[in-house]
Amino acid sequence: NAGVMQNPRHLVRRRGQEARLRCSPMKGHSHVYWYRQLPEEGLKFMVYLQKENIIDESGMPKERFSAEFPKEGPSILRIQQVVRGDSAAYFCASSPSGGNNSPLHFGNGTRLTVT
Amino acid sequence: EDKVVQSPLSLVVHEGDTVTLNCSYEVTNFRSLLWYKQEKKAPTFLFMLTSSGIEKKSGRLSSILDKKELFSILNITATQTGDSAIYLCAVLHQAGTALIFGKGTTLSVSS
């Protein structure tokens, strides 16, 4: 049973470009979470999605960031017009039941570097 | 504001030592507390604690929660170099939509 799959593992973008990060949850998991980890900081919640629905986006910056989890295919975290401060590791996690009774399972992350 | 504080931030021990990692929290409508181990990549799940005073054990690792004093500890006995990692503590609200993470404790075990 494959775990949470994220790609790419590493992504380099110049300032002003767009970054697209993909996450395929574990088989049977329909709840996806995105977290960002800055150096020397803990994981910070960004957004929680179920299929075709954004449930909680309270941790998402209001501008340039968006997320989706379509009926078919992976969840996508999209960052438009990237700036240096967006450089971080972005982790996706999934759970079968919203995390209330089962722990989140994390992917290996995408390390975004903005030059 | 909800927060999770871990201590110490870093720790260096010798193989065979026993370590205790601390996690205190201030969260409205607490539901559960989780411990994760993060090596170079994905955080991997260790324990989920919801009830006070009940120790959870997995091999050399154990953890317990005190909901009255709002903290948890993670114990590792007979440490090995493979235990070197960042240990993350996280708390879940009753609403259950987001884990709030502490900054982690970086453990280094030398041989």
Side-chain angles (χ1 to χ4, degrees):
Chain A
N1 187 14
V4 177
M5 305 298 292
Q6 288 188 250
N7 67 81
R9 286 295 310 278
H10 301 274
L11 182 61
V12 180
R13 284 287 177 266
R14 290 202 191 98
R15 276 183 300 168
Q17 290 185 317
E18 178 179 287
R20 278 185 181 238
L21 288 61
R22 292 175 190 77
C23 169
S24 295
M26 284 180 73
K27 190 175 179 181
H29 289 195
S30 59
H31 300 251
V32 165
Y33 304 75
W34 285 94
Y35 284 80
R36 176 164 63 177
Q37 188 174 40
L38 293 164
E40 310 299 322
E41 295 286 328
L43 288 155
K44 300 286 188 197
F45 168 74
M46 299 182 74
V47 62
Y48 162 39
L49 311 106
Q50 292 181 34
K51 284 283 186 183
E52 300 184 279
N53 286 305
I54 296 175
I55 306 302
D56 180 354
E57 57 182 345
S58 58
M60 286 271 270
K62 295 284 183 265
E63 296 175 349
R64 301 187 298 107
F65 284 73
S66 62
E68 62 176 13
F69 188 16
K71 189 175 178 182
E72 302 290 338
S75 175
I76 307 283
L77 179 67
R78 185 179 173 210
I79 312 172
Q80 295 177 291
Q81 299 173 320
V82 295
V83 301
R84 289 223 172 96
D86 297 333
S87 296
Y90 292 83
F91 287 92
C92 170
S94 72
S95 79
S97 60
N100 285 348
N101 297 310
S102 56
L104 301 187
H105 295 268
F106 283 84
N108 284 336
T110 293
R111 296 203 174 273
L112 172 65
T113 302
V114 179
T115 61
Chain B
E1 185 185 336
D2 296 333
K3 63 180 179 181
V4 176
V5 178
Q6 292 186 246
S7 64
L9 286 181
S10 64
L11 192 54
V12 180
V13 301
H14 292 294
E15 262 191 319
D17 288 349
T18 292
V19 297
T20 299
L21 310 182
N22 303 293
C23 176
S24 63
Y25 61 90
E26 291 177 29
V27 173
T28 50
N29 299 319
F30 171 89
R31 183 177 183 94
S32 56
L33 184 145
L34 294 89
W35 285 97
Y36 284 84
K37 177 183 181 183
Q38 185 178 24
E39 295 171 269
K40 292 213 174 180
K41 34 195 184 179
T44 51
F45 170 74
L46 294 174
F47 298 110
M48 180 185 242
L49 303 153
T50 53
S51 301
S52 256
I54 298 174
E55 186 183 51
K56 292 220 172 176
K57 253 180 108 59
S58 175
R60 295 176 295 103
L61 277 66
S62 64
S63 184
I64 197 160
L65 173 67
D66 185 329
K67 286 165 77 171
K68 185 178 174 188
E69 300 297 330
L70 308 183
F71 78 91
S72 173
I73 58 171
L74 176 69
N75 277 322
I76 309 174
T77 58
T79 51
Q80 302 171 357
T81 54
D83 295 328
S84 297
I86 300 172
Y87 290 83
L88 298 168
C89 173
V91 173
L92 187 65
H93 289 253
Q94 281 289 345
T97 59
L99 284 172
I100 303 166
F101 280 86
K103 291 187 179 181
T105 293
T106 300
L107 174 65
S108 299
V109 182
S110 60
S111 54

